[in-house]
Amino acid sequence: MAPQEIVVFVEGKGDVNAVPILAKRVMSTLNERGDVVVAASPFRVRGVGALVREGGKDWLRYLQDATKRARVVGVLLVLDGDLKEVPKTWKTYIDRFRTSDFCAMRAAAALADMGKAARAGELFSVATVFVMKEFEAWLLAGIEGLRGKSLAEGRGIIPANAEVPAGLDIEGKRDIKGVLRKSLGGVYSETLDQAELARHVDLTLLRQRCRSFLRFESAIRQLVDSARSGAHALSPIIV
Amino acid sequence: MIEQITIENFKSIGKVTVDLSPVTVLIGRSGVGKSNFLRAIRFLRNYLTSPAKAVEIEGGWTRLWPFGLPVRQSITVRFRLPGFHEPFQYAISWGKTENRADIAQLESERLSMGNAEVFSWGSRQWTAWPGEGPKPTYPPGQVALGSFPTVPEAVLAYTAWTSAIGWYDFPAAVFSGPLTNNERDPQQTGLNDNASNYLSVVLALTQDLRDQHSRRTILARLRQVSPTVRSIELDSVQSPHRVIVGHLFGGEKRALELAQESDGFRRYYAHLLALYQTPPKQVLMFEEPENGVYPGALRNLAEEFIAAADNRRGQILLATQSPELLNGFAAEQLRVVDLDPETQRTVVGPLDADQIESLKTQLLYPGELLTVDQARIAQPTR
């Protein structure tokens, strides 16, 4: 029997390859039966601002498009959580939480909830995750696993002493790309290197250092469980 | 109109059979073989006109073989011509020569109309001979399609596959260089591939007093890109040397040479000339027409491509990487080009049925097949 599929929605060009690789690595630990897999072609959506405008018109369109595929049972949305405030146009968030301050858990729950209009939770599952604050935080958090690995196209070898700078708040710091670039010897390109680094990043350290990665793992676990049980879910939910 | 084309062993293409529409838009990632598909058609056109030149344009036979390895190649086309009820089919094949990787040998040709064979040869003998007079024992080593002046079907098919096909990939410098080669190319009528004979084409449009619509539409389209434009005409109808663009800047009239206009303006104009040339081509092919053109004008250009096909000014085949341009086309007009993951050969096919439905129900815009939900080829029905 053909496996059921989870479609990954990502934000950036580098994420298109890198996030599915991390998702597959996580799933390989949960899914030895191979009955649920990550779909081959991820969706590249823009950031949260584009998804929520006009009542989430684009978000709902993409959900309906993705779930037309016969084997798709779930959608995993992974966005950067580098906002200070949610867009002023996101009325459902502002009305519900009475603030426009960005909170990753609230934003994720609000996006999952918007998906109901596309019959998410009924015909298929949706789990939303915000990487804090951008995808490179996850690469930096597991940087020890990258030591000695080659960058794409032989552009350099990652230093054997590459490490997280002392005292750095990995999930709180802005411009984590710049920190990662420096840690990798000055040569890092989002579009060239993300996928290869995602293959090698140390997941154990990543779990210890990034709460948002734990959320990523739990989202995948929920999607796999829902696929197996047939009880479609929205994740997260804030009561 | 070309209804179907089968290409075997041409550059990155292993074997593909593609049904074409009045407008066919090829989409797919870079490097998957979109250009090779269009170039196979161009190669056939050029080969029928001048075999040696056709091979030279492609960089020699070693660049025409898949992965540089000599193997039998063939192109088969099914097409319709005005005035004929039945479709034509023309097939041509080349084989490798012994001990030479850099030369191919013309191996067979066949032209048929409906179920009737017009001519065919292969294995060093004629299997259907339409000519008058003595039948040669062996094809003369040149293309037979153009060799039967007394067989109307062959003459028309030859014309349709030579001078009636335009292949355009206009450079940024189009219309900006010195007018050294503006003479007519004797092998072609209408706008030639590099548009170097554009003065002749503008002159033909100017002199066609029955059709003022084309000139007005070209001007209207140019004004959408550059609102100050008031006219675009030859400097002289008797002896044209340049095209003059009339502008109105804040109430003041100015005349600029076409060469002084921006790259984007000139490329846009080049596409319009190709689409409105008279007499029109049967088939017009464009490589990434979006290059250098103002993105806001691309929807208008898409409209013009569709209008050209609707108004019998030519079947349109184009390859694009532009979401803005792609938004102007319908699901049925799209063909997806990709690499077979196992063989790494180019495959071409219609869009996945689910994605077609998503386009029709506006869950997805065509341009999002290049950005959000990458276009997928329809799975063959079992």
Side-chain angles (χ1 to χ4, degrees):
Chain A
M1 190 174 158
Q4 302 184 94
E5 293 183 352
I6 292 168
V7 180
V8 181
F9 281 28
V10 298
E11 182 174 336
K13 199 169 182 185
D15 303 349
V16 167
N17 295 319
V19 174
I21 287 170
L22 273 186
K24 283 174 191 169
R25 289 183 67 190
V26 170
M27 280 183 74
S28 68
T29 64
L30 307 170
N31 188 36
E32 288 173 359
R33 284 185 268 165
D35 55 338
V36 187
V37 298
V38 175
S41 5
F43 274 50
R44 186 179 162 206
V45 299
R46 287 153 292 175
V48 67
L51 284 181
V52 300
R53 68 181 178 194
E54 296 180 58
K57 194 175 114 192
D58 285 353
W59 172 222
L60 297 177
R61 277 197 304 120
Y62 298 157
L63 281 176
Q64 288 175 296
D65 174 43
T67 53
K68 270 189 181 305
R69 301 188 220 171
R71 295 203 295 272
V72 171
V73 290
V75 170
L76 173 65
L77 172 67
V78 182
L79 298 176
D80 288 349
D82 54 356
L83 304 171
K84 276 186 181 166
E85 291 192 330
V86 300
K88 298 288 183 214
T89 51
W90 197 357
K91 291 197 184 323
T92 49
Y93 180 102
I94 295 166
D95 290 349
R96 183 173 171 192
F97 301 113
R98 300 189 180 285
T99 177
S100 60
D101 291 349
F102 175 77
C103 161
M105 191 55 81
R106 286 172 171 177
L111 276 168
D113 194 59
M114 285 175 107
K116 282 184 193 167
R119 300 182 72 181
E122 181 188 344
L123 301 179
F124 57 93
S125 301
V126 166
T128 56
V129 178
F130 281 91
V131 184
M132 298 304 290
K133 294 194 174 321
E134 52 191 357
F135 187 77
E136 281 75 5
W138 288 0
L139 300 178
L140 187 65
I143 196 168
E144 287 85 343
L146 307 178
R147 290 172 176 170
K149 297 285 188 299
S150 294
L151 290 167
E153 308 295 333
R155 288 161 38 255
I157 305 286
I158 295 169
N161 60 351
E163 60 183 359
V164 180
L168 178 75
D169 174 6
I170 294 177
E171 294 198 290
K173 171 107 174 75
R174 289 194 176 273
D175 187 28
I176 208 78
K177 274 190 184 65
V179 179
L180 180 70
R181 186 174 295 117
K182 203 171 167 188
S183 301
L184 296 182
V187 189
Y188 165 74
S189 156
E190 179 183 350
T191 49
L192 286 173
D193 298 317
Q194 266 192 8
E196 194 55 26
L197 300 185
R199 256 182 254 285
H200 301 293
V201 70
D202 186 325
L203 296 188
T204 306
L205 291 171
L206 190 42
R207 288 183 188 108
Q208 291 167 9
R209 290 170 176 163
C210 289
R211 287 181 61 200
S212 63
F213 185 74
L214 293 176
R215 163 68 197 143
F216 178 70
E217 283 195 308
S218 80
I220 291 173
R221 193 175 302 116
Q222 284 174 298
L223 289 172
V224 171
D225 289 346
S226 297
R228 285 181 179 152
S229 67
H232 295 300
L234 300 175
S235 170
I237 292 177
I238 296 179
V239 182
Chain B
M1 176 182 141
I2 309 171
E3 290 186 332
Q4 189 183 70
I5 181 162
T6 298
I7 302 165
E8 193 174 6
N9 292 325
F10 182 88
K11 297 193 174 191
S12 64
I13 298 169
K15 183 172 183 180
V16 296
T17 296
V18 183
D19 293 323
L20 301 178
S21 321
V23 176
T24 302
V25 182
L26 302 172
I27 55 173
R29 292 172 291 121
S30 296
V32 294
K34 298 186 296 294
S35 296
N36 288 345
F37 182 83
L38 295 182
R39 281 169 194 228
I41 301 173
R42 181 182 73 167
F43 175 69
L44 177 57
R45 179 200 71 174
N46 290 346
Y47 192 88
L48 294 174
T49 309
S50 168
K53 194 174 169 189
V55 174
E56 185 192 324
I57 287 171
E58 302 299 334
W61 277 106
T62 50
R63 292 200 180 170
L64 287 164
W65 308 119
F67 303 120
L69 301 173
V71 64
R72 183 180 181 275
Q73 288 180 311
S74 68
I75 300 177
T76 303
V77 287
R78 191 179 76 216
F79 56 102
R80 287 185 182 274
L81 291 176
F84 288 85
H85 182 63
E86 303 258 47
F88 285 75
Q89 182 157 304
Y90 175 67
I92 184 168
S93 70
W94 301 266
K96 58 182 180 181
T97 52
E98 284 181 22
N99 305 323
R100 291 289 298 268
D102 58 338
I103 296 176
Q105 183 172 294
L106 188 57
E107 204 171 65
S108 69
E109 275 181 277
R110 179 177 186 273
L111 177 69
S112 61
M113 190 177 70
N115 293 325
E117 204 162 49
V118 179
F119 75 84
S120 68
W121 68 269
S123 302
R124 301 187 170 215
Q125 60 183 343
W126 289 100
T127 41
W129 165 250
E132 294 164 355
K135 174 175 149 183
T137 54
Y138 175 59
Q142 63 188 34
V143 182
L145 184 62
S147 310
F148 299 112
T150 59
V151 182
E153 293 86 354
V155 171
L156 278 170
Y158 181 77
T159 307
W161 275 94
T162 51
S163 58
I165 292 182
W167 185 91
Y168 302 112
D169 181 12
F170 301 117
V174 66
F175 304 149
S176 66
L179 291 170
T180 55
N181 54 352
N182 191 47
E183 71 282 0
R184 272 189 175 277
D185 180 342
Q187 301 292 342
Q188 290 192 39
T189 59
L191 191 67
N192 59 19
D193 286 6
N194 60 9
S196 63
N197 67 337
Y198 68 100
L199 288 180
S200 310
V201 175
V202 178
L203 182 62
L205 269 170
T206 307
Q207 290 175 327
D208 187 359
L209 297 178
R210 294 166 306 171
D211 176 21
Q212 291 304 306
H213 171 78
S214 297
R215 281 156 44 82
R216 284 182 186 148
T217 305
I218 290 173
L219 181 60
R221 287 301 191 195
L222 292 174
R223 281 168 54 82
Q224 285 181 317
V225 176
S226 181
T228 60
V229 171
R230 288 295 177 271
S231 64
I232 182 157
E233 302 287 355
L234 292 167
D235 60 341
S236 158
V237 176
Q238 285 75 34
S239 177
H241 286 92
R242 53 187 65 87
V243 169
I244 303 297
V245 185
H247 288 269
L248 191 64
F249 295 113
E252 189 183 339
K253 288 181 182 174
R254 290 257 180 87
L256 297 177
E257 286 189 31
L258 178 58
Q260 293 175 273
E261 297 289 343
S262 69
D263 292 356
F265 182 94
R266 284 184 277 105
R267 278 195 105 239
Y268 193 58
Y269 182 51
H271 285 96
L272 294 170
L273 275 188
L275 292 168
Y276 282 97
Q277 62 187 298
T278 181
K281 302 273 187 189
Q282 288 286 306
V283 178
L284 295 157
M285 297 189 287
F286 298 92
E287 278 252 41
E288 301 192 356
E290 65 270 19
N291 288 342
V293 175
Y294 169 59
L298 292 174
R299 278 301 282 272
N300 305 334
L301 196 53
E303 271 182 36
E304 287 297 334
F305 286 133
I306 292 167
D310 285 349
N311 297 326
R312 298 176 185 276
R313 283 187 273 110
Q315 179 182 14
I316 304 291
L317 272 86
L318 63 92
T320 182
Q321 303 262 27
S322 161
E324 288 88 357
L325 185 68
L326 196 54
N327 276 335
F329 296 101
E332 295 79 6
Q333 295 168 330
L334 310 184
R335 299 292 180 275
V336 185
V337 186
D338 207 345
L339 290 178
D340 182 297
E342 287 178 14
T343 64
Q344 291 299 302
R345 297 288 186 86
T346 297
V347 287
V348 186
L351 189 64
D352 174 79
D354 290 338
Q355 289 187 313
I356 288 180
E357 201 184 327
S358 286
L359 292 178
K360 286 186 171 171
T361 52
Q362 296 187 345
L363 292 179
L364 206 60
Y365 299 118
E368 290 176 326
L369 295 167
L370 302 175
T371 53
V372 177
D373 183 12
Q374 292 290 322
R376 301 185 295 275
I377 294 182
Q379 294 301 310
T381 48
R382 294 174 194 281

